[in-house]
Amino acid sequence: MGSKSNRSRRYTEEFKRDEVALVRSSGKTVTEVARQLGVSAEGLRNWVKQDEIDRGQGAPGELTTAASRGAYGVPRIHAGLCRLGHCVNPAVGE
């Protein structure tokens, strides 16, 4: 069996930015850079794609990092407020 772990690893935003910049500047493929860094090629490919979206080069309708955080953060905040008894009906602002 291989030595690959099934556990997900978390990387900082700074690490991701640096690795995307390396892909862009090295002239190497995403797979080559991923092997060199010891990260998954699929994960690195996703970071590169998200960077393109954040730069305005994505397909119409794709969410930027900032927009996706906002889209997912609001329902979580709303649910937390409801658990505390401070539910707000977003449709009417009450």
Side-chain angles (χ1 to χ4, degrees), residues 32-50:
E32 290 171 326
V33 173
R35 277 193 201 123
Q36 186 178 6
L37 298 170
V39 300
S40 86
E42 181 178 353
L44 183 54
R45 196 169 287 111
N46 288 338
W47 301 344
V48 170
K49 178 178 168 115
Q50 188 62 52

Side-chain angles (χ1 to χ4, degrees), residues 3 11-13 15 18-20 22 25 42-43 49 56 60 64 67 72 78 85-86 89:
S3 62
Y11 299 100
T12 65
E13 291 302 316
F15 178 83
D18 290 347
E19 305 327 309
V20 168
L22 182 60
S25 66
E42 181 178 353
K49 178 178 168 115
T64 63
Y72 294 115
H78 187 263
H86 302 285
N89 183 344

Side-chain angles (χ1 to χ4, degrees), residues 59-72:
E62 290 181 310
L63 292 178
T64 63
T65 300
S68 66
R69 285 190 180 139
Y72 294 115

